[in-house]
Amino acid sequence: MSDLTPHDSHANAPERLGYSPVADVPHALRMADTDPKAARRAERQVAAMFMLSMLLTIAFVVGYMTIDKTSIIYIPVFGDVGTSTFVLGLTLGAAIFLIGAGAIQWAKKLMPDVEVVQDRHDLASPASADQEALANYDRGKAESGFARFKLIRRTLIGALALFPIALLIPLRDLWTAPAGSPSPADLLSVTLWHEGLRIVTDPNLMPIKPEDLPIGGLVSGIPEDLEEVQELEGNMNARTKAAIILVRMDPSDIRAQQGDGWDYQGILAFSKICTHVGCPIALYEQRTHHLLCPCHQSTFDLADAGNVVFGPAARRMPQLPIGVDEEGFLVARSDFAEPVGPSFWERG
Amino acid sequence: MSEPSTIEKAGGGVATYVDQRVGSNKFLARNLGKVFPDHWSFMLGEIALYSFIVVLITGTFLTFFYKPSMIEVVYDGSYVPLKGILMSEAYASSLDISFDIRGGLLIRQMHHWAALIFIAAMAVHMFRVFFTGAFRKPREFNWLIGVVLVTLGLIAGFSGYSLPDDLLSGTGLQITRGIAQAIPVIGTWATFLLFDGQFPGSDFISRLYSVHILLVPGLILALVTVHLMLVWTQKHTQFPGPGRTNENVVGYPLMPVYMAKAGGFFFIVFGIIALIGGMVTINPIWIFGPFMPDQVSAGSQPDWYMGFLDGALRMMPNWETNLFDWWTISWNILIPAVIVPGILFTGLALYPFIEAWVTGDKKEHHLLDRPRNNPTRTGFGVMAITFYGLLWIGGGNDIIATSFDLTINSITWFLRIAIFVIPPIMFVVTRRICLGLQRRDRDKLLHGYESGRILRLPHGEFIEVHEPISIKDKAVIMSKTDITPLPAPERRDSAGVRNKRYHLQNVQHKLSGFFYAENIAKPSAAEIEAAEHHVAHEVALEAPLHAYEDADQINTFHGGVLHHPGMPQTNAEQLAERAQH
């Protein structure tokens, strides 16, 4: 402790053994330094905080045991809140906070507030240590024969370089291709849609007649067999690609389509998955026929073949050719002609 | 010396017992009195550390109740609106934590708030370290560790935020999938490996879970340990002040002051997080409903620290390249989501080395820079923060559009241009402000403070009284180190040998000039002495007035006119006179 010296040196700074002044900065004494009553008061304050903390912890336990987890309470400013969460948070928070507040009050009022000085020491090792380290290294190198045994050295480096491969290779089975081992790109390029597959509404699963859909209307659609497929596959992969929206507009408003006559009496079907990074899209402005992605605001003009009119998406929204079956319900006439969803490397 | 109490004897016994087995007393002897400097900004890193500890404690609690599984179950908990709905076990168990486990919502919200505070505190701590030059030799390693910690913090936050498998977090994952898929060559395969096939698959939540609760926190914990050990061995930097030099540390000893203050501050941070967690709702997953890949809510917003990425994605024009109709490069995703953050974080990591190279500075620095004393660095910092801030604004462009009745298109176009224009403007403005402040400092040293008091001297001359600046201010201003730009390199040395490193050295010389050429030099010792002499003279002229003022302040003075013996001298005397009448 001999290198501790007080930094603030004023005549009335509390005297501490072994300290000497370093700079002439006035140091104001605190109440607790001069007045024993103030010191007593500070002591009582600190103890009171610790005491209150204990009581609040007990209150937490009582609250935990007695408050019904579904009860709701009105607190001004906060509104209706869950009683349990509110009371537990309040008691726990205050109990912990008071420990901290007490400790800091203790430090500020009763512990020395005179700054002291300590010297820094060189971080770098002294030259003697450098030499010793080097000598040890050289000796070790010579004794191991690392430089001499070329064969050992090279095979060791080879072995060390190769073995991590054995740790990484098994990551390959993070994904196993399904039967017929299609590539990821193949899988991303097909959806459930095929000729004659009925379009049903999502989430009510009702088949759709063209006359059900008014001009300007928008309906979310999925393949009729989607639920079965989901059940079978145990995931929502098929839904991610097959979800579509149906919009109906005045046929004279349609300026272009991705294929001749892919609409049915002004009803157009587009993928619901944004071609930018794959958010589902459902914000449709019927006056302009624009479809807006809520995530990054790519905007597609559905009256103009689903082309991009604004935003970061580079590709148009894929269109699904539709028609009606013999019962008059809307069906797909084929799968999408291009992959749906975000771009990928092999897409071309 | 009083007799040691029973407790002290027992403590001594324990210390001896432990010391004989691990040699701990050597450490205690050296470190119990270790001095740490005091400054409010040094608490920012503490906040980060303490909130991380809270994250660990609350996170451990959550793991006991959360089920990282995407198996579909029918919800049957206390939250009525979702009763009977099909959802993943992950989401159902998150709802259980929120509604059926007492204190569960409190802990979940504390976990989320603590995570937000953790990342925010790291960011602000990093600003402090950057703007004060605390990253300079010998602390470059710790800066690097810090940059890695911030990155890991973002990953930890994002991975945790995605676990409840609600509609909002699922949308975040969907975007992540889109970004991963855009990586050239390996993107598609990497995405399939990550998600066990196509999105969303049925394994991703459990995979993310092990990343979130083991891999990332393990790395953070290890790096935080190294970070603190380095702070310990290198000793903390300190702000300039009287008696503070590059060779000492001025502050309070670890025991007792810092144990009480830092230890107490842990409880303060912990307590505040518990209070916020109990009172302020965060991430109300029950409102969003279970994840469905074909549903989204308008106004979807990520946690604050991911906003800049979202903004970058929104701002980017829709560029895409097709190579030979075979391959796709999605610049519209790669640039904002991979390249820009990559440059930002790499630049951040390398900055200490770049600055050291440009300035040719190889000295150790333990005394902190004032931001104004390194205008170019401060300018860069403000420029980077502005750049980040604009991206962040982009992330909220829909909210801004609806709040201020603007079109999204015009905000996006504004930002597309602003991102290139405003940061450089901020750089120049900040630099000028810093140089202006340097001039002000120089003036203070040379002329003292302008007191604003005009003094009429007996022979009629009016002067403004300048007061000497305080010892503290003087020490702070004098702490500035003037750095001269590196000289232009020679093409050939005196012996006529060609300088092979001429071009590199020339770049270094130019950059160094850019950094320091406009620096306002500190006045010389002689100038300061002369100035102090002058100020002392003015103060002496005014001294009789001060004697007059000292007794009591009423401020009904006689307009700065010097008084002579015999006239009432002080307010106290005036009052005494009045009392007599």
Side-chain angles (χ1 to χ4, degrees):
Chain A
M1 296 278 270
S2 58
D3 57 349
L4 291 179
T5 43
H7 166 54
D8 290 352
S9 77
H10 195 259
N12 56 6
E15 234 176 81
R16 292 159 81 188
L17 206 61
Y19 300 108
S20 62
V22 291
D24 190 24
V25 176
H27 172 261
L29 284 180
R30 298 163 298 183
M31 290 283 276
D33 291 329
T34 52
D35 180 4
K37 267 191 197 155
R40 281 285 301 157
R41 200 159 53 234
E43 185 188 342
R44 279 199 301 272
Q45 281 166 356
V46 174
M49 285 193 242
F50 291 157
M51 177 70 80
L52 197 54
S53 168
M54 287 190 257
L55 294 176
L56 282 160
T57 302
I58 295 167
F60 177 91
V61 176
V62 172
Y64 182 86
M65 292 192 297
T66 55
I67 298 170
D68 176 28
K69 67 190 178 194
T70 55
S71 101
I72 302 281
I73 188 175
Y74 177 80
I75 309 271
V77 182
F78 294 95
D80 285 323
V81 296
T83 318
S84 170
T85 304
F86 193 85
V87 170
L88 295 183
L90 196 65
T91 49
L92 176 71
I96 299 173
F97 182 90
L98 283 169
I99 298 175
I104 288 172
Q105 176 78 343
W106 183 2
K108 288 204 157 238
K109 290 279 159 87
L110 298 169
M111 292 181 191
D113 69 337
V114 181
E115 287 194 309
V116 292
V117 170
Q118 212 165 35
D119 286 334
R120 290 180 190 274
H121 305 287
D122 273 346
L123 285 166
S125 315
S128 61
D130 291 351
Q131 279 157 13
E132 205 180 323
L134 191 66
N136 268 324
Y137 173 79
D138 286 341
R139 182 186 48 75
K141 202 170 102 179
E143 284 176 359
S144 71
F146 192 74
R148 250 181 315 139
F149 304 126
K150 262 192 197 162
L151 192 61
I152 292 183
R153 194 174 71 223
R154 287 179 183 169
T155 47
L156 173 65
I157 291 169
L160 288 176
L162 278 185
F163 99 92
I165 294 175
L167 299 180
L168 291 174
I169 279 281
L171 292 178
R172 166 62 188 85
D173 274 359
L174 280 171
W175 173 59
T176 323
S181 49
S183 74
D186 294 339
L187 288 167
L188 288 177
S189 307
V190 294
T191 75
L192 282 186
W193 295 110
H194 56 79
E195 189 179 355
L197 183 60
R198 264 191 197 162
I199 303 165
V200 294
T201 59
D202 184 35
N204 300 326
L205 309 179
M206 302 292 288
I208 307 159
K209 286 217 156 126
E211 52 272 27
D212 296 342
L213 201 60
I215 286 186
L218 176 138
V219 169
S220 288
I222 50 174
E224 191 177 22
D225 59 353
L226 179 66
E227 301 265 297
E228 286 164 47
V229 174
Q230 275 186 196
E231 192 96 337
L232 197 73
E233 294 184 341
N235 58 44
M236 293 191 282
N237 296 356
R239 178 182 285 269
T240 311
K241 290 185 300 182
I244 56 166
I245 49 159
L246 293 164
V247 290
R248 185 167 205 168
M249 53 184 87
D250 189 333
S252 63
D253 283 349
I254 302 176
R255 297 200 298 285
Q257 292 193 58
Q258 291 176 20
D260 260 352
W262 279 13
D263 69 316
Y264 184 79
Q265 295 176 356
I267 301 177
L268 300 162
F270 286 95
S271 167
K272 196 179 180 179
I273 307 301
C274 185
T275 59
H276 177 221
V277 282
C279 286
I281 298 191
L283 297 174
Y284 177 61
E285 199 185 23
Q286 48 167 289
R287 195 174 48 79
T288 56
H289 311 302
H290 285 176
L291 190 66
L292 176 85
C293 177
C295 288
H296 307 103
Q297 290 123 22
S298 297
T299 312
F300 305 87
D301 188 349
L302 300 190
D304 182 24
N307 283 331
V308 180
V309 289
F310 187 76
R315 299 194 184 259
R316 63 185 185 180
M317 203 50 122
Q319 190 183 354
L320 185 74
I322 54 168
V324 289
D325 58 12
E326 56 271 25
E327 289 175 59
F329 289 113
L330 288 177
V331 294
R333 274 160 49 199
S334 73
D335 197 356
F336 288 100
E338 54 196 90
V340 299
S343 283
F344 50 95
W345 171 250
E346 299 88 337
R347 199 194 141 154
Chain B
M1 271 297 210
S2 58
E3 278 290 297
S5 69
T6 324
I7 293 178
E8 277 167 342
K9 276 184 199 158
V14 171
T16 310
Y17 184 90
V18 176
D19 180 53
Q20 286 169 356
R21 281 152 187 85
V22 298
S24 47
N25 282 2
K26 282 194 289 284
F27 177 82
L28 293 179
R30 265 204 320 271
N31 288 306
L32 278 181
K34 191 177 179 72
V35 169
F36 285 89
D38 217 14
H39 191 265
W40 65 265
S41 70
F42 299 163
M43 292 198 296
L44 296 166
E46 280 185 63
I47 297 176
L49 174 68
Y50 300 152
S51 50
F52 178 64
I53 295 172
V54 176
V55 168
L56 289 182
I57 295 171
T58 52
T60 307
F61 177 90
L62 293 175
T63 59
F64 297 148
F65 299 98
Y66 172 76
K67 298 189 182 70
S69 146
M70 292 168 89
I71 291 169
E72 298 267 298
V73 294
V74 175
Y75 178 67
D76 188 30
S78 307
Y79 186 62
V80 180
L82 292 176
K83 248 191 184 10
I85 287 184
L86 209 61
M87 58 181 64
S88 69
E89 232 181 335
Y91 185 56
S93 63
S94 304
L95 290 174
D96 286 344
I97 289 171
S98 308
F99 293 105
D100 287 287
I101 287 149
R102 286 175 288 178
L105 181 60
L106 169 66
I107 302 285
R108 218 200 90 217
Q109 294 192 145
M110 278 173 71
H111 191 68
H112 202 130
W113 276 117
L116 295 181
I117 293 171
F118 172 49
I119 298 172
M122 278 198 290
V124 185
H125 172 59
M126 191 170 71
F127 294 164
R128 198 279 292 166
V129 169
F130 182 85
F131 286 115
T132 58
F135 55 78
R136 289 171 299 173
K137 187 183 173 184
R139 296 184 177 77
E140 302 96 325
F141 292 162
N142 238 9
W143 170 263
L144 276 182
I145 292 173
V147 173
V148 177
L149 279 171
V150 171
T151 317
L152 286 170
L154 296 182
I155 297 171
F158 183 73
S159 60
Y161 165 87
S162 304
L163 286 177
D165 203 24
D166 58 290
L167 185 55
L168 195 59
S169 75
T171 307
L173 284 184
Q174 211 159 359
I175 295 169
T176 312
R177 187 276 294 233
I179 293 168
Q181 213 167 275
I183 297 169
V185 189
I186 58 162
T188 318
W189 265 93
T191 317
F192 270 63
L193 292 181
L194 275 179
F195 286 90
D196 187 20
Q198 301 176 71
F199 183 82
S202 46
D203 275 340
F204 191 66
I205 292 284
S206 56
R207 288 177 183 179
L208 200 62
Y209 188 59
S210 64
V211 169
H212 180 73
I213 70 160
L214 178 69
L215 189 61
V216 177
L219 287 172
I220 293 179
L221 200 57
L223 287 175
V224 164
T225 310
V226 180
H227 200 70
L228 292 175
M229 282 166 68
L230 280 173
V231 170
W232 196 275
T233 47
Q234 293 175 335
K235 296 194 172 143
H236 209 288
T237 50
Q238 60 188 349
F239 276 97
R244 297 172 181 208
T245 68
N246 210 28
E247 284 78 39
N248 69 11
V249 191
V250 175
Y252 300 103
L254 177 70
M255 183 161 178
V257 177
Y258 261 95
M259 278 187 179
K261 275 191 175 175
F265 191 50
F266 165 68
F267 288 97
I268 299 261
V269 171
F270 195 169
I272 288 175
I273 290 171
L275 288 171
I276 302 174
M279 296 187 200
V280 190
T281 305
I282 180 96
N283 197 20
I285 51 163
W286 53 90
I287 290 175
F288 310 132
F291 175 61
M292 292 284 272
D294 56 350
Q295 284 174 19
V296 71
S297 53
S300 295
Q301 288 291 323
D303 269 353
W304 75 266
Y305 48 83
M306 282 289 153
F308 81 106
L309 273 182
D310 221 34
L313 277 167
R314 289 177 183 197
M315 221 181 273
M316 183 69 200
N318 62 341
W319 301 341
E320 192 178 272
T321 310
N322 290 323
L323 295 176
F324 322 113
D325 273 352
W326 271 102
W327 299 302
T328 304
I329 304 176
S330 302
W331 300 113
N332 55 342
I333 301 165
L334 274 182
I335 291 177
V338 181
I339 296 173
V340 167
I343 292 174
L344 213 57
F345 278 83
T346 312
L348 209 56
L350 295 182
Y351 186 81
F353 306 98
I354 297 171
E355 191 186 296
W357 180 72
V358 167
T359 57
D361 183 8
K362 294 190 174 60
K363 286 197 293 286
E364 279 188 21
H365 295 278
H366 303 292
L367 212 50
L368 294 170
D369 259 346
R370 302 168 82 207
R372 69 184 63 174
N373 287 342
N374 203 318
T376 309
R377 177 204 297 149
T378 305
F380 277 140
V382 171
M383 185 165 93
I385 291 174
T386 311
F387 182 80
Y388 180 95
L390 287 167
L391 294 181
W392 205 36
I393 289 173
N397 65 356
D398 45 347
I399 311 258
I400 293 168
T402 47
S403 314
F404 297 100
D405 206 15
L406 298 163
T407 69
I408 279 176
N409 304 34
S410 53
I411 298 172
T412 304
W413 267 111
F414 168 77
L415 289 171
R416 281 176 181 174
I417 297 163
I419 198 82
F420 291 103
V421 177
I422 295 185
I425 292 177
M426 290 304 288
F427 174 80
V428 173
V429 169
T430 307
R431 210 155 164 266
R432 294 326 305 181
I433 291 174
C434 288
L435 290 168
L437 288 169
Q438 280 191 21
R439 271 191 206 97
R440 175 88 188 106
D441 282 346
R442 190 186 149 88
D443 285 351
K444 270 192 207 164
L445 277 183
L446 285 180
H447 306 297
Y449 278 116
E450 290 169 359
S451 68
R453 291 194 302 277
I454 306 294
L455 188 69
R456 200 179 89 196
L457 300 181
H459 57 274
E461 182 190 352
F462 286 93
I463 59 165
E464 183 187 359
V465 179
H466 284 80
E467 286 189 347
I469 59 174
S470 69
I471 297 168
K472 183 164 179 289
D473 284 349
K474 189 180 168 194
V476 169
I477 296 174
M478 289 302 286
S479 74
K480 176 167 184 266
T481 40
D482 287 324
I483 299 172
T484 36
L486 295 174
E490 303 283 339
R491 282 187 185 275
R492 289 175 191 281
D493 66 11
S494 51
V497 179
R498 201 170 68 85
N499 180 359
K500 282 182 190 156
R501 304 184 43 163
Y502 172 79
H503 291 288
L504 199 64
Q505 284 173 357
N506 201 31
V507 171
Q508 203 178 357
H509 152 70
K510 291 232 166 87
L511 282 173
S512 159
F514 175 64
F515 257 76
Y516 295 118
E518 290 179 80
N519 184 43
I520 310 295
K522 244 175 3 189
S524 69
E527 282 176 306
I528 291 173
E529 202 184 323
E532 278 174 357
H533 192 74
H534 182 75
V535 169
H537 175 66
E538 282 184 6
V539 170
L541 283 176
E542 203 195 24
L545 271 178
H546 280 291
Y548 184 90
E549 237 173 69
D550 275 346
D552 209 339
Q553 292 272 350
I554 294 183
N555 291 331
T556 52
F557 275 108
H558 303 194
V561 177
L562 286 171
H563 288 255
H564 299 289
M567 292 178 72
Q569 284 288 306
T570 65
N571 288 333
E573 282 168 3
Q574 289 185 35
L575 287 171
E577 266 182 17
R578 266 183 228 167
Q580 280 175 8
H581 293 300

